[in-house]
Amino acid sequence: MFRLLLPLLILALLLGGCQKGTYKIPREEFTQQVRTLGVMPILIDEGSTVVHPQRAEVLSLLRRHSAGREDRLIQILRDTGPFFDVRLINQDPRQIFPRLVSPSTSSAEDALPYVFSPAAARQLAEDVVVDALLVVILHGRELVEKRWDRDRTRLNYLEAPYNNILALAVVIDRDGQVLWRLGSGPGDLFLALQYADFDEAFYNKADAVRLKFLTLEGVERTLAETPSGLLSRTGFPRLHGDLFDRIGRGLKPGVLQRLGGGARPQQ
């Protein structure tokens, strides 16, 4: 019985276990429609909720550490994606953002926080002759979360609004319509700018746990940090590498699709 179940379990994991993307059209239609993909430079929403005593410097660090990272993402998508070709949109991200991106007015819980200009999307796609655009936006947002004291009892936590940098990744067509998105809600956690100082409360015998901001040096070290271990990508930042891997897995075709079968589309 075990010998029969093991291959089925492995197949199930291969088919769906690594997917973390949502297609807004049937997957087969997406594959037929998007043969060439344009990868945008990473965009920073400088008008978003980035609450930090050194806000301008944090935004500058995000821009500097995100610049030129797209080559890694392009290689991942060329190696594992369903695309005929993947091309870089080599333009200034600070000039692209106001042309392409606007805040969404939707109040739906799972709505995207942005909408995309059809005129700008069409022009950018025509510039490099691609069918669709992969847009990655880093933006600040306050989210109510529970952060746990992991150093002692692991039972204490502080529930509060924390300021985070989130990463939103979408594929849009030439009309600015979203064909695929990574994750759900406003985006995936990219960088936590605040932490609960359980140490201070413990050593001062205080009941209240204070929120503190990462120092500017802490932000830079976190953005520059590389993964450890034998499988690490030497010299490439962990935060960007993890984000790109999630995008690559989300856009990777299923086993049945690669074999020419009829994999059921994600909706």
Side-chain angles (χ1 to χ4, degrees):
M1 178 65 71
F2 177 76
R3 290 181 179 178
L4 292 174
L5 290 176
L6 184 58
L8 293 176
L9 178 60
I10 293 174
L11 179 60
L13 291 173
L14 289 173
L15 286 174
C18 292
Q19 300 291 336
K20 200 192 174 186
T22 301
Y23 289 87
K24 300 301 182 180
I25 60 176
R27 187 185 295 172
E28 290 85 352
E29 184 179 334
F30 177 93
T31 303
Q32 293 170 6
Q33 181 177 333
V34 185
R35 300 295 295 146
T36 56
L37 181 68
V39 174
M40 306 281 292
I42 295 175
L43 305 179
I44 313 295
D45 184 355
E46 301 188 26
S48 60
T49 308
V50 178
V51 180
H52 192 279
Q54 295 172 285
R55 183 181 189 277
E57 290 83 354
V58 169
L59 290 171
S60 177
L61 286 174
L62 285 173
R63 289 195 302 269
R64 178 158 60 85
H65 283 272
S66 298
R69 300 296 185 193
E70 301 81 20
D71 286 347
R72 170 80 67 175
L73 178 55
I74 288 171
Q75 192 58 54
I76 290 173
L77 295 174
R78 283 176 175 168
D79 290 343
T80 63
F83 311 106
F84 175 76
D85 194 14
V86 183
R87 303 169 185 172
L88 174 66
I89 309 280
N90 190 17
Q91 296 191 28
D92 184 348
R94 299 187 79 178
Q95 293 184 8
I96 291 175
F97 187 88
R99 290 170 45 208
L100 179 66
V101 184
S102 299
S104 172
T105 57
S106 175
S107 58
E109 183 177 347
D110 197 41
L112 288 168
Y114 302 104
V115 294
F116 303 94
S117 163
R122 192 173 301 110
Q123 184 61 60
L124 289 164
E126 288 176 354
D127 285 345
V128 291
V129 194
V130 294
D131 301 314
L133 305 170
L134 173 61
V135 184
V136 178
I137 302 174
L138 301 182
H139 62 106
R141 194 177 184 99
E142 280 194 337
L143 297 173
V144 176
E145 300 176 271
K146 290 181 180 179
R147 301 274 178 90
W148 297 83
D149 181 0
R150 302 184 185 279
D151 294 331
R152 297 181 183 85
T153 66
R154 298 176 183 263
L155 298 176
N156 296 326
Y157 66 86
L158 178 64
E159 184 173 10
Y162 295 86
N163 195 232
N164 300 309
I165 302 298
L166 304 183
L168 177 73
V170 295
V171 174
I172 61 174
D173 64 15
R174 289 183 168 215
D175 294 320
Q177 297 299 308
V178 175
L179 305 178
W180 172 92
R181 65 174 298 185
L182 178 70
S184 60
D188 286 359
L189 177 64
F190 182 76
L191 171 66
L193 290 178
Q194 289 179 288
Y195 63 95
D197 195 343
F198 292 103
D199 280 344
E200 180 189 53
F202 176 80
Y203 287 111
N204 287 308
K205 314 300 180 185
D207 293 329
V209 178
R210 294 199 300 173
L211 287 183
K212 291 188 175 180
F213 288 97
L214 294 184
T215 64
L216 200 61
E217 294 77 14
V219 171
E220 179 152 31
R221 292 188 193 107
T222 303
L223 288 171
E225 180 185 22
T226 58
S228 58
L230 295 176
L231 298 179
S232 67
R233 294 187 176 91
T234 304
F236 196 81
R238 177 180 58 83
L239 294 184
H240 290 85
D242 288 348
L243 173 61
F244 294 170
D245 284 343
R246 293 198 301 274
I247 294 171
R249 290 195 300 269
L251 284 167
K252 185 176 182 179
V255 172
L256 292 181
Q257 185 179 358
R258 291 201 302 271
L259 295 176
R264 186 181 183 88
Q266 286 186 338
Q267 299 294 337

